Structures are given as structure tokens and as C-alpha cells.
Amino acid sequence: MRSIVSSSYRTMGVALVLVPLATYGCGGGGSAEAGAMADAAQAVYVAPGEYDEFYAFMSGGFSGNLTVMGLPSGRLLRTVPVFSQYPENGWGYSEETTAMLETSHGFIPWDDSHHPELSMTDGVPDGRWIFINGNNTPRVARIDLTTFETTEIIEVPNSAGNHGSPFITPNSDYLVATTRFSVPVPNRDMPIDEYRGNFKGMLSFIRAGEPGNMDVAFQILVPGYNYDLAHAGKGPSDGWMFFTSYNSEEEHTLLEINASRKDKDFVAAVNWRRAESCVAEGVGRAMPADYRHNVMGEDHIARSNRRTSVWVIEPTDCADMIYFLPTPKSPHGVDVDPTGEYIAAGGKLATVIPVHSFRKMLAAIEAEDYETVIDGIPVLTYESVIAGEVENAGLGPLHTEFDGRGFAYTTAFISSEIVKWEIGTWQVVDRIPVYYSVGHLMIPGGDSREPAGKYLVALNKITKDRYLPTGPELAHAAQLIDISGDKMRLLLDFPTQGEPHYAQAIAAEMLMDKQVQFFSLNENTNPNAALSEADARVERRGNEVHVFMTAIRSHFTPDNIEGVHVGDEVYFHVTNLEQDWDVPHGFASFGANAAELLVMPGQTRTLKWIPKRAGIYPFYCTDFCSALHQEMQGYLRVSAAGANTPLRWGTGGEWKTN
């Protein structure tokens, strides 16, 4: 008899457990378990040439990017560069894209991306855009889902640690962004041990509904806690946004002990429509700020614009705008059910999952049923707003999503499991182990009014022994679980890029027919474009040499260039003349210290290079484009500084000069 086993690793000192998954070779129950495995394999099988049912958008974590995977196959479809330079296509290296990574701190070519969030209409994902946050240098980005390209990034001022973003309101009016690390506002030099009362948090509301016009509409100054995640109300709670916070102790050192002393922290409930009306009435003040708004123009050239002020409101200035809901203990996630009535919080040090009632919250506000008031923010009585507590919900509950059939699913980080419970009875009805130390989870549409309750993806922090070992560093793990029946069923493990945090998914049919396949040459307004081979040329402008080059299967024009000198700034402006889907051309030059260009059909991209010594420098196409791809190359001659080598260029042996 031969057994297949899987080690079930547990954190926090809990023992290693070996769980038999299947037994075969001796008949009996083994055939039933083998049949279950075959059923699981069939459930995730996508035949050659067939498409996945869902696009899944996964946070790239410390890669700074967004990954796109197919469900149920788990196949990687695309990496979308966002906050990090990406040499595969020259993002953040080409002259047209570098401005997208500008910040008030200068050019920042990296970030820590956590939470993808799809645009919505009436509380349902609509497939227009997806947004994602930069946690380290506070930023929020918009990605156009017709091109799967980042088109807009806005920096968030008065903030540090932009973890709780970019959660969206039901009609994409606003994204929110929170301060994970409270800091002085405005930031200034002061003793750290004077934290309490002097460091502040900030809840930012960012206009998101109109591409190219993202802006920080207003910010709410709040006590100096650590503000974590958020979700918008819907239905009866539309117009409200709910934020978790911890460290109500306002500690600044050894938070694992000092920020865990109180029995409860808070969910901040913000009436953002009330905040809007206060802003319209002139309540608050314009505060000097320094932040950047970066936009990719219709000419495919990014531009960075400086912003110098932001509107800030304080709770004492705008009554009825914000309330605190006491929540056990060190809450992480906050999630609103599809009806908009229930707000579940994940107290990661709590023994229960607290579920607040929006209806009870309004009644408590009406009755002024307060425990206390903190910096102008009423703290509602816990017993007056709680709808129920889910007991036996695993150790370390973090995040909850919903299936649209009356059930909720919560991750338990310490006990490494997904727990399914019933809304209204607050009873656990099922649980399944996951491997290992699960953080976020995702159900397609699971945070919206209309979840697609077929699949659940567990996003695990530790892989351990799930895949072939690859040295000390292992890919993180995602697991696909079938939730269509009464019992959850594990279908698939698949690795992710970077650390998986949050994810979103949308039915493939909503996006497939909207995809841009190539860019029309007739609409190429890049001033450096060469729209035909007749337009190809080389120009000297002082110590700058501009090469206006075309690429088409299977040659560059020009492909021979002379008259460049050591120390010149050489700009290769490469226009892809193809007008067919999936025929990009690449461009790389020997000696260049930037990544390649990957130029889409009809597009222009620019590589800057400063040659350091004389010689002959080949350049070539990096993206396999035809049977004669290897022949798609050229040479550039670099002469010594001050040499009298004339500037000339050619293709096919015919030289041209200015």
C-alpha cells in the first residue's frame, strides 16, 4: 500500500500534522478518494484553446504590480506594471512612461501593492477599471481594463502607510485611502515619544469616476490610531464608508504588546455624503500639501503634475459625519454583506467575529447612545450596535466575503482555515483547512451586491511544502475552493507573484469583447512618431541625437546609423507600423543602461542612451515577431567625442544625410 500525504504546517507553535490525502493500490476507499481527486482536476481543467470563466486580479505585493490570472485554471495571463519598473516592456524605463513613477519624494520605481478594487456601478463590478494602492509611498493607481495598462496614479498627501485603500463607493464616485502609520500633520520634526495626541491619522476620499481627473477631494483628520482596511456601504448603508482601526492605545513602540492592551478598538463609520455637504458649505480648511498626479495621455505620453493643497475637515467641524463602533480586538478587515445591513469586522486577536447592524447603528446615533466622545467622534455603545457574534470562528479571524446565498466566509490566520457561517444565525456551518496562514480571501464579486458564489480563492502567506522547493525563497500560495455546495471543496493550489494580499475577479465575458487589439497609426499623436518608413530619419540637436525609427516585420528603418559621438544623448523613437493583433516589436541596444522597449502595434516608445566609448553597437528586436526575427537588427557607429564623423543613416545600403 502507498499513501500520498501533505504536511499541515501551523504557525504560533502549533504542531506539525500529517494528513493522509489519498490511499491507493489496495482497493477499498482509495478508489472513492481517487475519484474525488479526478473530479477536482476536471473542475479546474480548461482545454487547449478554451478560455477561463473569470479574470482574477491579484495584488503583486512587494513586486509593486498587479497580476492577472485565469480561474479556474490558475494560469498566469498577464503582469500589469503599476508602481515598479518592469523591464519586460520598459515600463518606467521608456521616456514616455517614467513620469508615471514621479512622486513628491522624486522618482520612486517601486512600491508595495496590496488591494485591487474593481470599478462599480450600482454596487456591482462593471469592468471599466481596476484600482490598486501603493502602501509604502502613498499612491493609488487606475488601470484601464480595455488595455490592461496603468493610466493614472495619484499620490496621497498627509499620509504614511497607505494600506487601507483603494476601496470604492458603489458608483465609483470615490476611492478611500487611510493612514496606517499616524504621523504629525503636517509632518514635521518632533520627538517620537510625544506621539500621543500629536500624531494624527487621515481618511482620504479620492475622486475616481472620471479618468484622468483623480483628485483628493477631501481628507478627514482623525485620532492617531493605525487605520487599516475599509469597505463601502450599499443599499440602506449607501453613503457610508467603514474603516477598521487599531492601536487606540496610541503607542509608538513595541506595538505587538503595547497596542494589544485594550479589549476593543474601533470601526470608524463615516457618512461621506455628510462630509461632502460640509465641504460644499466651506467647512474645513485648505492645507498646504505637496503631491503628484500622473496621467498617461491619449498620445501615450505620461505627464506628472504637482498639486499644492488639499481640503481637510475635522470631526468637531462637521457634526454627524463620523462615529466609532467598538470592535474586539485589533481588527483587520471590515466587510459589508450584499444587503448592506451587516458589517463584519475581523478582530485578529478576538475569539469571535463581531457583526454590527447598520439599522441598530442608526438607532444608537438617533438615541445618542454613546460610551464616550473622542476628539469630537462619538463612540457608540457596543451592545447597541452589535447584531451578533460568530463563535468558534477559528484563531485569528481577518477577512470576510459573501456568496450571495446568505453565507459568509472568514479567514482564520493562526488556525489556517476558512470558516463558513450563516448570516442571521451567526452559526458556523462548515470549515476547511488551507495551507498555510491565510490572509485575504476572494469570492468573485464577494464584496459587492451580486457575488458569484461559485469559487473562493484563499491567499496564503506561507507555502512551505506545497510546491517543488526553490531554495530559501518560495512562491506564495493561492488555493481555489469550490463553494457552490453545502460543503467547501479544495480544487487547486497555484503559486502567485509577490506576496498575495487582496484580489478581485470578474466574469471573463464582461471584458473579453472590450479589449483593444492594436493602436491605430492614424491616431498616433506622439510628436516623435514616424508613421511610415518615409518619415524615418536621424536629427542632431546640439549634443542630442534623435533617431525616428520604424519597426515592421522584419526590419528597422533605419538599420545603419553613423555620426554619433561619445557623450551624446541618443533617443531612439521607435514606432511599430504593424496594424495586427499580438505583433509587438521589441528594441534593445548594446551598451544601453535601460530596459528594452516593447512597442505595441501602432505605438511609439523612446529609449534614451548615452554611449560611454567609441565602437560599433548592434541593436535588435527583442520580441519574436516572424520567421526572420533573428535578422531584425541594425548597427550604430559611435565615434570619439569631437570626431568629424558625419551624421548619416540608411536601410538597404542607401545612406541619407540632413
Side-chain angles (χ1 to χ4, degrees), residues 212-243:
N213 290 288
M214 291 175 73
D215 191 18
V216 182
F218 57 89
Q219 296 183 308
I220 302 173
L221 192 69
V222 287
Y225 308 155
N226 292 52
Y227 295 84
D228 209 359
L229 298 186
H231 267 104
K234 53 182 76 79
S237 56
D238 185 13
W240 290 78
M241 183 68 71
F242 303 93
F243 303 84

Side-chain angles (χ1 to χ4, degrees), residues 544-560:
E544 295 181 0
V545 176
H546 292 263
V547 180
F548 301 90
M549 179 180 286
T550 63
I552 196 166
R553 286 168 286 186
S554 296
H555 64 273
F556 295 106
T557 302
D559 64 4
N560 283 196

Side-chain angles (χ1 to χ4, degrees), residues 61-64 83-85 101 108-112 136-137 139:
F62 36 70
S63 78
F83 300 112
S84 295
Q85 287 181 303
L101 303 182
I108 305 289
W110 172 84
D111 218 308
D112 180 18
N136 186 62
T137 303
R139 290 176 279 182

Side-chain angles (χ1 to χ4, degrees), residues 423-555:
I423 299 170
T425 68
W426 323 121
Q427 298 298 307
V428 172
V429 297
D430 192 23
R431 58 204 320 135
I432 188 172
V434 289
Y435 307 99
Y436 309 98
S437 299
V438 61
H440 279 278
L441 75 166
M442 179 270 285
I443 295 170
D447 65 344
S448 76
R449 286 197 311 105
E450 297 181 2
K454 183 175 182 179
Y455 299 120
L456 179 153
V457 177
L459 299 162
N460 306 323
K461 301 298 186 184
I462 295 175
T463 306
K464 218 62 175 177
D465 54 3
R466 300 301 287 184
Y467 311 129
L468 287 172
T470 54
E473 184 181 3
L474 304 176
H476 288 278
Q479 293 184 297
L480 182 69
I481 296 170
D482 179 357
I483 59 169
S484 60
D486 292 337
K487 294 292 184 180
M488 293 180 281
R489 183 170 65 121
L490 179 62
L491 299 177
L492 180 70
D493 285 17
F494 57 96
T496 62
Q497 292 186 328
E499 181 189 357
H501 291 276
Y502 193 39
Q504 296 260 273
I506 195 168
E509 62 187 15
M510 290 190 66
L511 300 185
M512 285 175 53
D513 294 337
K514 300 176 182 178
Q515 298 308 295
V516 171
Q517 297 185 347
F518 60 87
F519 300 107
S520 172
L521 278 171
N522 295 329
E523 297 174 5
N524 185 331
T525 57
N526 187 310
N528 297 312
L531 300 182
S532 70
E533 292 191 357
D535 296 330
R537 63 198 185 279
V538 181
E539 297 178 0
R540 176 174 285 281
R541 303 170 187 172
N543 73 328
E544 295 181 0
V545 176
H546 292 263
V547 180
F548 301 90
M549 179 180 286
T550 63
I552 196 166
R553 286 168 286 186
S554 296
H555 64 273

Side-chain angles (χ1 to χ4, degrees), residues 140-161:
V140 172
R142 181 198 308 269
I143 296 160
D144 184 337
L145 290 181
T146 66
T147 60
F148 282 61
E149 293 181 350
T150 302
T151 57
E152 191 170 8
I153 296 176
I154 190 161
E155 190 178 358
V156 184
N158 296 322
S159 182

Side-chain angles (χ1 to χ4, degrees), residues 22 40 86 185 265-266 281 302 329 375 377 385 411 441 529 591 613 616 641 644:
Y86 193 62
V185 178
D265 288 295
F266 301 114
E281 294 164 7
K329 176 176 183 185
D375 293 354
I377 303 172
V385 298
T411 59
L441 75 166
R613 55 181 182 264
I616 302 297
N644 60 2

